[in-house]
Amino acid sequence: MTYVDGFVAAVPTEKRAEYLAYATQFAALFKKHGALKIVENWGDDVPEGKQTSFPLAVQREPHESVVFSWVVWPSREARDTAWKTLMEEPAMQPGASPMPFDGKRMIYGGFQTILET
């Protein structure tokens, strides 16, 4: 089964176009290294929770929107190999492609696919 890297971040709403350009650049890199699919989603109906929510998880500020993204890989092994080579790409070097959001508040993780229909 496939393997998924998931990401949630708070992005300044006025930087939507800048974020899309940034995501497009990195989607091409991920595909070059074996990703099957990259999906970027801009928050549209993301309620604020009292205990848990996407906005709370990324400490969203009033001028920000929540972005929910994922990368689909053929397998965990393909993903692990890709990340090793991705980190050697010039665009991945510190300062080469500044993020249009606060990366310290981004949450991410790798997930085993257990159902795919």
Side-chain angles (χ1 to χ4, degrees):
M1 281 232 176
T2 58
Y3 194 81
V4 175
D5 279 325
F7 308 87
V8 181
V11 179
T13 303
E14 72 275 1
K15 291 189 176 185
R16 181 177 173 152
E18 188 178 337
Y19 178 81
L20 183 56
Y22 177 86
T24 300
Q25 172 190 358
F26 283 93
L29 272 180
F30 281 54
K31 287 268 208 159
K32 174 182 167 185
H33 289 273
L36 301 174
K37 184 178 189 177
I38 294 91
V39 180
E40 295 285 345
N41 302 278
W42 193 265
D44 181 53
D45 182 17
V46 186
E48 188 78 43
K50 292 184 181 180
Q51 252 185 312
T52 62
S53 67
F54 283 116
L56 286 172
V58 294
Q59 300 172 0
R60 182 183 59 103
E61 296 177 8
H63 68 283
E64 295 175 322
S65 295
V66 174
V67 171
F68 176 46
S69 311
W70 63 89
V71 180
V72 180
W73 301 98
S75 65
R76 167 79 190 261
E77 295 75 24
R79 176 263 209 164
D80 290 349
T81 299
W83 272 107
K84 288 177 189 169
T85 58
L86 272 164
M87 296 313 292
E88 296 170 8
E89 288 281 351
M92 297 291 280
Q93 302 311 306
S97 300
M99 293 186 279
F101 59 93
D102 181 0
K104 292 177 185 168
R105 292 185 288 136
M106 178 176 70
I107 58 174
Y108 59 91
F111 299 84
Q112 293 179 345
T113 302
I114 61 171
L115 175 66
E116 193 168 355
T117 64

